[in-house]
Amino acid sequence: MNNVGQLTSVKWDEEGKTFELHLTGKIKQQLSADPTLRPEYLSSLGLTKFTQRATEVALGKRSQAILENRVLGVHTPGFTAAMRLGAELLRHWYDVNAAWCGPVYLSSPCDDSLAGIFQAAGIQDIREYYYWDDKQRDICLDKLLEDLETAPEQSVVVLAASAHCPTGADLSQNQWAVITQLILRRRLFPFLMLPAQALCYGDLERDAWPVQLCASNGIELLCAQSFSHCFGLYGEAVGHLLCVLKHNSLLLSVQSQADKIVKSLWSQPSVGGARVVATVLSNPAHLVEWQGEVKHIVERCMLIREVLRERLRLLGTPGCWDHLTQQRGLYCCMGLNGQQVEFLSKWRHVYLLPSGCLNVSAINGRNLSYVAESIHLALTTSL
Amino acid sequence: MSVFSDVPQASPVAVFKLTADFREDSHPLKVNLGVGAYRTDDSQPWVLPVVKKVERLIVEDSSLNHEYLPILGLPEFRSAASKVALGDDSPAIAENRVGGVQTLGGTGALRIGADFLWRWYNGTNKTATPVYVSAPTWENHNGVFTDAGFKDIRPYRYWDAAKRGLDLTGLLDDLENAPERSIFVLHACAHNPTGTDPSQDEWKKIAEVMKRRKLFVFFDSAYQGFASGSLERDAWAIRFFVSDGFELFVAQSFSKNFGLYNERVGNLTVVAHDSKSLACTLSQMEKIVRTCWSNPPSQGARIVSKTLNSPELFAEWKGNVKTMADRVLLMRDQLKTKLQALGTPGTWEHITQQIGMFSFTGLNPKQVEYMIKQKHVYLMASGRINMCGLTTKNIDYVAQSIHEAVTKVQ
């Protein structure tokens, strides 16, 4: 049997190749023929047209924070870079007088690179809050709230606005309402993540709803965004860090410090991918075309989820698989333990994330049966 | 109450402030000699013809894989970039002890190298190891090493203002007295901001002391090909050190010599003693990159890689680079000639002796202020000018302005 390959990162089409949006390809061609684009250094904070659009899609065009000019947007070379910049800003500038140095709370489980990013910025006090419950195959809100309730004031809490990695389980709007109240009450600082905006519902603003909720509640926040997934610009490192401040008077200072941090990390971001995104988001016709393509991706993911769930049911695979179709987006937690994950990679050449989660879009018509069988075997073979 | 209430405003970076002031100036004869990028004789940025060609090839290549690049970057880019620095026939490459890390420009390469050294170099003393940068140097060197965690950053003597040249005695003295295993940031060619490079003999003297004192060599190579028009000549110092048995880092930037300023194309070349050390070093660098930008951007690296790996495109690129270098050399020659013709007091030999984009004119801060305020010719307070800002159209005005500054202002 051929090597089925990675069911971890990156989106694949039915042929198992990385998906490039048709529109993205078209825009890239246009841009390459554009004589007005100059090979010059950008500002450290990146392409202005891009940061304006990225800020708008996160907060909504009519956001009070934008109108009051108290939002800082920094174009970064990718999502990790946005998280790193945010971590550095917090480390150096969060409550200067109190010499704040953590704690930072990450969900359990979370992307395995997150802790390292905060540590690299010099924050060692990293803790977990309860998130995914294996038995319920869902988020356990009660335990989550318990953990955040006991977090020290001024803790930073990293929360996925949508497309939680690696579980794919997202908080509902009601759950967000409860959490924002807790954040206000306990004076916590939210650092939100939007790694795959628009890939849950095919709608940019819907995925950003939690960010808008926090902002409209007057909460200061950081938000790291990536446009790699939803524009098929993987190799192009298109990231953005949003910082919503309480007062406009703070904007220049925080901006100058962000500038200083960027200068000694990567100097300025790369422009290519950001130009594509800015072009699409600034043009109503492109936007409509783009939304069509994204909807198609989202529908394909939902279809795979349905078919996988049905196949597991037919195989009689033990466990409940409803969460496969109740959740949305690219990632899904299969509830497999470490041994089972190892079994899959070693004996079936099916590679999942160590947490037992997989990227749904890596499954296609040709490998679906094999993948479903493999999962079945992992769960039924005594290891 | 905002958690950012007490954040002070950071002071602006001088060179960008200069450009901002220049933009706001409405004087018809204004000239910007502060910018750090290449300009044509029409004062325009230049897309290299080979880059345009390769960009089109890439955009039309439907077989191209759009995935994330590996953390260490595009493999064919990394190997080609290291080869350009060390030479096709480099024994170190043949011995499998050379590796590269694709980075976000030259800055990214410096940062990853600095982060690595802070974590892994010099045993238990690592974070206290002194880092030496030239006096003067590119101002970001300080920032990068400081933010990587180094607390002890010192200048080593370099520019002799009186003789308008290299202070070799001072340099060698500082090398001799530096604590063993100190890190030294050396400019491979076209020193920024002075434009003054050691001669081959001087490099040999430098290497001798560095070897004896076990000092760590960290080359910053942002202008290969751009300085003399020859890739080999501009890499002589690097290749000499490698052939002399040194382990070293080279932070390479392709911003200037490919005109890819905003695509952020850099490479950190690592030359290790043996392939096992190399592998371990790269594995640790991978961990560092993972928490910084994780996967580097592909566009610029693909352009450079395609160009370097195709004999035809490589030749075309060398031609484009020579075009840029030749224009700079022409401007140097003309400026010197005009100043001599005007009878401007002082010697101006250094204008043509210096190399690369920048020249330390020797103008003092008062004279610089005169140039900016009275003549609307913008240059750095240090007297540094970017030769690329000179064109056949403005060179007479600039020469005249320098003449006035030197004769009227002391």
Side-chain angles (χ1 to χ4, degrees):
Chain A
M1 182 72 200
N2 298 336
N3 187 337
V4 174
Q6 310 275 7
L7 293 186
T8 50
S9 60
V10 183
K11 221 160 52 263
W12 301 75
D13 62 10
E14 270 300 307
E15 307 299 307
K17 288 204 315 227
T18 320
F19 203 91
E20 188 192 43
L21 272 68
H22 187 66
L23 177 65
T24 299
K26 228 167 53 176
I27 305 275
K28 275 185 184 174
Q29 295 238 359
Q30 274 173 23
L31 289 173
S32 81
D34 185 342
T36 67
L37 294 181
R38 299 151 64 94
E40 284 186 292
Y41 281 124
L42 288 179
S43 112
S44 299
L45 303 178
L47 199 65
T48 313
K49 202 164 146 199
F50 169 74
T51 59
Q52 283 170 344
R53 297 290 94 76
T55 298
E56 283 165 4
V57 300
L59 293 176
K61 279 207 179 91
R62 286 177 251 300
S63 150
Q64 197 66 22
I66 295 180
L67 292 172
E68 290 168 12
N69 197 18
R70 49 186 179 82
V71 181
L72 171 66
V74 183
H75 166 197
T76 62
F79 184 78
T80 295
M83 291 300 299
R84 176 63 182 270
L85 177 60
E88 294 276 350
L89 269 173
L90 291 169
R91 171 74 179 92
H92 287 102
W93 301 112
Y94 186 139
D95 199 344
V96 182
N97 293 321
W100 180 89
C101 197
V104 172
Y105 281 80
L106 305 175
S107 69
S108 163
C110 67
D111 185 301
D112 60 14
S113 68
L114 283 181
I117 294 171
F118 286 94
Q119 283 160 347
I123 302 172
Q124 303 303 330
D125 187 357
I126 300 179
R127 309 182 193 180
E128 277 183 352
Y129 60 86
Y130 204 93
Y131 192 79
W132 170 259
D133 188 304
D134 245 345
K135 290 202 177 58
Q136 293 175 30
R137 302 266 165 112
D138 199 358
I139 301 167
C140 179
L141 186 69
D142 287 337
K143 292 206 182 130
L144 191 164
L145 293 172
E146 232 177 80
D147 282 347
L148 292 190
E149 195 71 51
T150 57
E153 288 201 353
Q154 303 215 315
S155 298
V156 167
V157 185
V158 178
L159 291 155
S162 75
H164 182 267
C165 177
T167 68
D170 291 334
L171 296 158
S172 70
Q173 292 192 352
N174 287 336
Q175 290 170 327
W176 271 109
V178 176
I179 288 173
T180 43
Q181 289 313 305
L182 191 159
I183 286 174
L184 279 164
R185 202 166 21 83
R186 298 286 308 144
R187 294 194 231 272
L188 305 176
F189 188 99
F191 194 154
L192 302 168
M193 302 190 292
L194 274 176
Q197 198 168 350
L199 282 188
C200 287
Y201 291 93
D203 181 340
L204 277 171
E205 289 210 18
R206 186 158 171 188
D207 279 7
W209 187 86
V211 185
Q212 298 181 17
L213 178 66
C214 287
S216 65
N217 271 288
I219 299 173
E220 269 183 331
L221 61 89
L222 286 172
C223 178
Q225 301 161 260
S226 169
F227 295 88
S228 302
H229 283 293
C230 55
F231 278 82
L233 287 167
Y234 291 101
E236 308 282 358
V238 196
H240 188 253
L241 179 71
L242 193 72
C243 180
V244 179
L245 299 162
K246 278 218 165 86
H247 313 289
N248 153 267
S249 58
L250 304 166
L251 186 60
L252 285 178
S253 311
V254 177
Q255 184 176 293
S256 70
Q257 296 300 349
D259 190 295
K260 192 155 174 283
I261 293 169
V262 166
K263 283 233 169 47
S264 72
L265 279 172
W266 54 74
S267 212
Q268 329 113 36
S270 53
V271 78
R275 281 212 182 108
V276 174
V277 175
T279 303
V280 173
L281 295 181
S282 303
N283 178 317
H286 287 329
L287 207 47
V288 166
E289 190 177 341
W290 173 77
Q291 271 167 343
E293 290 199 77
V294 170
K295 263 201 148 49
H296 173 77
I297 294 171
V298 168
E299 278 161 13
R300 184 173 166 267
C301 284
M302 286 313 297
L303 183 62
I304 293 168
R305 285 170 175 275
E306 274 168 31
V307 176
L308 180 61
R309 179 182 154 203
E310 182 60 13
R311 194 61 67 89
L312 292 174
R313 186 189 73 81
L314 286 172
L315 286 169
T317 311
C320 180
W321 301 101
D322 289 342
H323 69 287
L324 271 176
T325 46
Q326 279 161 0
Q327 292 161 7
R328 304 181 70 102
L330 293 177
Y331 288 102
C332 184
C333 208
M334 304 308 289
L336 297 170
N337 64 36
Q339 272 186 308
Q340 291 160 337
V341 170
E342 202 189 320
F343 168 86
L344 280 177
S345 63
K346 212 160 147 190
W347 299 105
R348 302 288 294 181
H349 308 287
V350 173
Y351 298 86
L352 270 62
L353 292 165
S355 53
C357 304
L358 57 78
N359 178 331
V360 155
S361 67
I363 299 173
N364 56 46
R366 291 178 315 174
N367 63 26
L368 173 69
S369 302
Y370 185 73
V371 169
E373 262 168 47
S374 306
I375 293 172
H376 181 81
L377 280 171
L379 287 165
T380 51
T381 312
S382 48
L383 296 167
Chain B
M1 182 62 179
S2 168
V3 298
F4 296 109
S5 292
D6 297 308
V7 177
Q9 178 129 1
S11 43
V13 177
V15 66
F16 296 113
K17 172 132 194 346
L18 194 74
T19 298
D21 290 345
F22 170 80
R23 272 207 201 101
E24 282 179 25
D25 187 336
S26 53
H27 194 273
L29 294 177
K30 66 177 182 177
V31 181
N32 188 358
L33 298 181
V35 67
Y38 179 78
R39 290 284 180 271
T40 63
D41 198 54
D42 294 312
S43 293
Q44 295 302 310
W46 192 49
V47 178
L48 273 63
V50 74
V51 168
K52 220 171 178 50
K53 185 188 275 188
V54 174
E55 265 175 356
R56 185 133 329 123
L57 289 172
I58 289 174
V59 144
E60 285 161 9
D61 185 353
S62 55
S63 72
L64 208 58
N65 184 328
H66 296 284
E67 284 184 52
Y68 283 122
L69 286 185
I71 294 174
L72 291 178
L74 191 67
E76 36 293 19
F77 164 77
R78 296 158 56 203
S79 56
S82 293
K83 235 200 253 173
V84 139
L86 301 184
D88 271 339
D89 48 4
S90 165
I93 293 181
E95 288 158 23
N96 265 324
R97 51 190 188 86
V98 174
V101 178
Q102 181 188 336
T103 57
L104 275 272
T107 300
L110 285 164
R111 182 56 183 261
I112 300 301
D115 277 345
F116 173 86
L117 291 171
W118 186 77
R119 281 165 182 67
W120 299 106
Y121 173 70
N122 208 10
T124 49
N125 197 35
K126 41 190 196 289
T127 70
T129 307
V131 176
Y132 284 80
V133 298
S134 65
T137 192
W138 183 48
E139 73 225 338
N140 210 10
H141 280 151
N142 271 288
V144 169
F145 281 88
T146 302
D147 288 355
F150 288 99
K151 304 252 181 290
D152 187 356
I153 303 186
R154 311 178 186 183
Y156 62 85
R157 278 168 285 174
Y158 195 84
W159 171 252
D160 185 329
K163 75 174 222 250
R164 292 197 186 167
L166 179 69
D167 178 4
L168 184 69
T169 316
L171 203 174
L172 292 174
D173 205 42
D174 286 342
L175 287 172
E176 201 68 61
N177 293 315
E180 282 198 354
R181 302 175 69 81
S182 296
I183 297 164
F184 273 75
V185 179
L186 305 172
H187 299 229
C189 73
H191 183 270
N192 178 0
T194 68
T196 301
D197 291 338
S199 67
Q200 290 186 2
D201 276 334
E202 288 167 340
W203 275 120
K204 288 183 178 160
K205 292 198 172 93
I206 292 168
E208 191 269 319
V209 183
M210 291 190 80
K211 186 176 275 189
R212 205 169 11 88
R213 304 284 308 144
K214 303 190 188 22
L215 305 173
F216 186 84
V217 177
F218 198 149
F219 273 113
D220 183 347
S221 176
Y223 300 100
Q224 190 182 359
F226 195 99
S228 69
S230 156
L231 293 170
E232 289 74 27
R233 237 170 96 183
D234 289 348
W236 187 87
I238 297 171
R239 296 177 189 189
F240 172 72
F241 274 73
V242 172
S243 69
D244 208 29
F246 280 87
E247 284 184 308
L248 51 84
F249 287 172
V250 186
Q252 298 170 267
S253 167
F254 293 92
S255 294
K256 326 272 196 286
N257 56 18
F258 263 86
L260 288 171
Y261 302 94
N262 54 33
E263 298 286 3
R264 314 306 299 134
V265 197
N267 188 56
L268 177 68
T269 286
V270 177
V271 180
H273 181 261
D274 55 80
S275 55
K276 179 156 184 289
S277 310
L278 175 72
C280 292
T281 299
L282 290 178
S283 73
Q284 291 302 339
M285 286 183 174
E286 188 170 7
K287 287 182 103 156
I288 292 169
V289 172
R290 179 87 170 110
T291 60
C292 196
W293 52 70
S294 195
N295 311 84
S298 60
Q299 177 71 354
R302 281 196 207 281
I303 293 172
V304 174
S305 171
K306 225 173 159 64
T307 306
L308 296 180
N309 284 313
S310 143
E312 260 177 47
L313 295 171
F314 185 56
E316 193 177 337
W317 173 61
K318 284 199 283 194
N320 289 170
V321 173
K322 193 157 185 311
T323 300
M324 294 191 284
D326 283 349
R327 191 176 104 62
V328 169
L329 288 169
L330 181 65
M331 290 297 101
R332 286 185 178 278
D333 196 56
Q334 286 196 355
L335 182 62
K336 180 182 91 176
T337 307
K338 286 185 195 291
L339 289 173
Q340 287 173 340
L342 285 168
T344 311
T347 67
W348 300 101
E349 291 304 318
H350 58 285
I351 302 264
T352 46
Q353 278 162 0
Q354 289 164 3
I355 194 167
M357 205 182 259
F358 300 114
S359 178
F360 244 27
T361 53
L363 293 173
N364 66 38
K366 282 216 181 74
Q367 292 163 337
V368 169
E369 203 186 325
Y370 176 88
M371 293 280 285
I372 297 175
K373 294 241 163 66
Q374 306 304 327
K375 307 301 294 182
H376 306 273
V377 176
Y378 289 74
L379 63 158
M380 302 296 290
S382 59
R384 183 192 91 167
I385 59 173
N386 179 353
M387 301 306 298
C388 299
L390 289 172
T391 68
T392 50
K393 295 145 189 96
N394 66 26
I395 195 162
D396 283 315
Y397 179 67
V398 171
Q400 183 63 39
S401 306
I402 294 176
H403 181 80
E404 281 178 34
V406 171
T407 49
K408 290 187 182 165
V409 183
Q410 305 311 317

